[in-house]
Amino acid sequence: MYKKIVNQLVRLTILDVLMCYSLKFVFIEWISLFYNFRCCGISYFTSRKSDNETFFTANRTSPWYLVAFGMIGTSLSGVTFISIPGEVGNSNWTYLPVVMGNCIGYVVIALVLLPLFYKLNLVSIYSWLGIRFGEKARLTGSFFFILS
């Protein structure tokens, strides 16, 4: 008798859990669908009069320092803010020079490369390599970027 009651309770508990999970899953699906349709709608209405030049360069109307902050923002994530301090602590501060090198690299990009890109009307470092050193240098740089 005792085993029968326990088995029924276990079965009921498993069914309850599955039902709650399926309801949550449906709720998450609806939220995901709503979010995706909303993003598609926003992109449709905001991009009707734009082209590739607008997408990649914002018609060259953004100031260089705003682009620099955007570059930093896209290269960082929430995981970076959580994992890098822990890695620095776990590696006895040997990872810190890498982080400092990244910061120096961001400053160089913001102060040297971005104003150069704006002055020469360039979109990427590879187009500059093509202008400065030729097509082979541009293709080699692109290949090594893809390889890495």
Side-chain angles (χ1 to χ4, degrees):
M1 179 77 173
Y2 178 71
K3 283 186 176 183
K4 186 177 180 182
I5 293 174
V6 169
N7 285 339
Q8 286 177 346
L9 285 175
V10 168
R11 257 189 246 127
L12 284 175
T13 306
I14 291 173
L15 288 174
D16 288 341
V17 168
L18 288 175
M19 285 178 61
C20 283
Y21 179 74
S22 66
L23 289 176
K24 286 180 186 177
F25 190 70
V26 169
F27 182 69
I28 291 171
E29 283 178 339
W30 280 109
I31 288 177
S32 176
L33 283 173
F34 172 74
Y35 176 76
N36 286 324
F37 281 122
R38 190 187 74 184
C39 286
C40 288
I42 290 171
S43 67
Y44 173 75
F45 287 114
T46 59
S47 66
R48 284 187 287 182
K49 298 176 184 174
S50 62
D51 54 1
N52 282 342
E53 181 73 18
T54 304
F55 179 78
F56 286 110
T57 63
N59 291 330
R60 307 224 181 257
T61 56
S62 300
W64 65 269
Y65 53 85
L66 186 63
V67 175
F69 284 126
M71 286 176 54
I72 292 171
T74 56
S75 66
L76 298 177
S77 66
V79 175
T80 305
F81 287 108
I82 294 170
S83 64
I84 296 301
E87 180 61 28
V88 169
N90 287 337
S91 65
N92 293 327
W93 296 84
T94 58
Y95 191 74
L96 187 62
V98 174
V99 175
M100 291 301 163
N102 285 342
C103 292
I104 292 169
Y106 287 137
V107 169
V108 169
I109 288 170
L111 297 178
V112 177
L113 290 180
L114 283 178
L116 176 72
F117 285 3
Y118 269 63
K119 184 175 131 184
L120 296 176
N121 248 359
L122 300 175
V123 176
S124 72
I125 189 72
Y126 307 109
S127 55
W128 180 79
L129 284 174
I131 291 170
R132 179 80 167 99
F133 299 109
E135 188 67 15
K136 286 186 179 180
R138 183 186 72 81
L139 292 174
T140 303
S142 301
F143 173 75
F144 280 113
F145 175 77
I146 291 171
L147 190 66
S148 67

